[in-house]
Amino acid sequence: MLFPSMKVAEVLDIATDDFVFGYYGIPKSESSHKSSQANALNVFLSGGVAGLVSRTLTAPADRIKMMMQSGGKDAQLGRVIKEVYAEGGITAFWRGNGANVIKIIPESAAKFYCYEYLKKQIIADPS
C-alpha cells in the first residue's frame, strides 16, 4: 500500500470518489453524473479550450517553422528569430494565431467529444 497507516476502508473511500482535473471531471460512478447533456457540453468545451491553449502555446514554434520553410537555403534559426522579432516585437511570433485558433477549437472539441462518446459505447457494450 502507498500509506501503510491507512485502513482498507479509507483506501476504498478514496478509490470511489471522483477524480477532477481542472474543469474536466472523471466520475467513478454513474450516479454522480448531472445529466448527459451537461456532461456532453463539458466535454465539448474542454476540448475546445484544450485546442486553444495548445495551439497558442505552440504558435511561436509554428511561425518560426513556416518562416524557415519559405526562406530558402539561407533560412537559419537565429536569423529567422531575429527577422520575426524585428517585424513586430514579441507579438509577431503569434501573427496568424487567430486563424489557427478558429480552426482548431471546433476540431479539438469534436475529437474530445467523439473520444468520450465512443469510450462510453465501448464500456457499455456487454459483449
Side-chain angles (χ1 to χ4, degrees):
M1 283 181 100
L2 285 174
F3 304 102
S5 63
M6 291 180 74
K7 296 177 183 166
V8 174
E10 292 172 336
V11 174
L12 291 176
D13 283 342
I14 293 171
T16 58
D17 289 342
D18 292 348
F19 293 104
V20 177
F21 301 103
Y23 294 106
Y24 187 65
I26 304 172
K28 286 283 187 183
S29 64
E30 288 296 320
S31 63
S32 64
H33 286 296
K34 295 174 189 169
S35 74
S36 61
Q37 284 182 338
N39 191 34
L41 181 62
N42 186 19
V43 170
F44 201 79
L45 290 175
S46 297
V49 170
L52 176 131
V53 170
S54 68
R55 187 60 68 157
T56 301
L57 289 176
T58 60
D62 194 43
R63 174 97 165 123
I64 292 168
K65 178 193 75 164
M66 289 178 55
M67 294 289 289
M68 288 182 76
Q69 288 174 339
S70 64
K73 293 182 179 182
D74 292 340
Q76 294 177 348
L77 182 62
R79 276 192 207 156
V80 171
I81 291 173
K82 287 177 185 174
E83 277 181 32
V84 172
Y85 188 78
E87 281 179 16
I90 196 75
T91 58
F93 289 97
W94 281 270
R95 185 167 293 142
N97 190 47
N100 280 332
V101 166
I102 289 170
K103 172 191 155 297
I104 202 69
I105 287 175
E107 180 182 327
S108 293
K111 285 179 183 178
F112 261 62
Y113 180 77
C114 288
Y115 171 79
E116 289 297 322
Y117 176 78
L118 291 172
K119 185 173 77 172
K120 281 183 184 178
Q121 297 303 314
I122 290 169
I123 291 171
D125 188 14
S127 57

